[in-house]
Amino acid sequence: MESLHPRIRILWVVYGVLVGTVAGLVFVGVDRWIAGVPTAVQAGAAVVVGVLGALYAIRLYQLWRFELQEDALYLERGVITFVETAVPFVRVQHVDTQFGPIERALGLSSVVVYTAGSRNADVRVPGLRPERARELQDSLRKLAVESETDDAV
């Protein structure tokens, strides 16, 4: 099983802190326009949500794993709800490599695998170095093409 690049923790921790900041701003809005909320409660709520978000991000990194198996891409992830996903190569429609501005700044990319079907029709593998993302993308494409010929009637 392969883990994600450690820098993905930075991205996820930043997201957790942003959620904490938004929670603090919500309390400021409630204080200003609805009911008085003590400043200590506002700050405390923002800090608690931010810390919980950061801890969640760290734990998520510890649990996130993926592997190319003989006939499928296998993923394990989740903190509160643990999810195991197997994406059969024969179901792969196409594979993209994505990287937003924050990911680019951290030197990371994501691979998105689009599958046939309507439920959860795409699977994302975040937190990969760009070269690793391209390697995974190329491997998935080749395995998908090979599985099509194996599955043919």
Side-chain angles (χ1 to χ4, degrees), residues 130-143:
E131 352 20 281
R132 177 63 184 121
R134 280 188 289 280
E135 289 170 9
L136 181 60
Q137 180 183 26
D138 291 342
S139 296
L140 286 167
R141 281 184 189 149
K142 288 175 187 168
L143 291 165

Side-chain angles (χ1 to χ4, degrees), residues 3-17 49-65 77-80:
S3 60
L4 306 178
H5 193 279
R7 277 189 239 148
I8 192 67
R9 290 178 297 192
I10 296 169
L11 180 65
W12 290 343
V13 167
V14 167
Y15 287 156
V17 170
V49 172
V51 167
L52 288 175
L55 292 173
Y56 179 87
I58 292 167
R59 185 67 181 141
L60 181 60
Y61 170 76
Q62 293 170 342
L63 297 172
W64 223 114
R65 301 278 181 269
R77 65 216 182 273
V79 175
I80 296 170

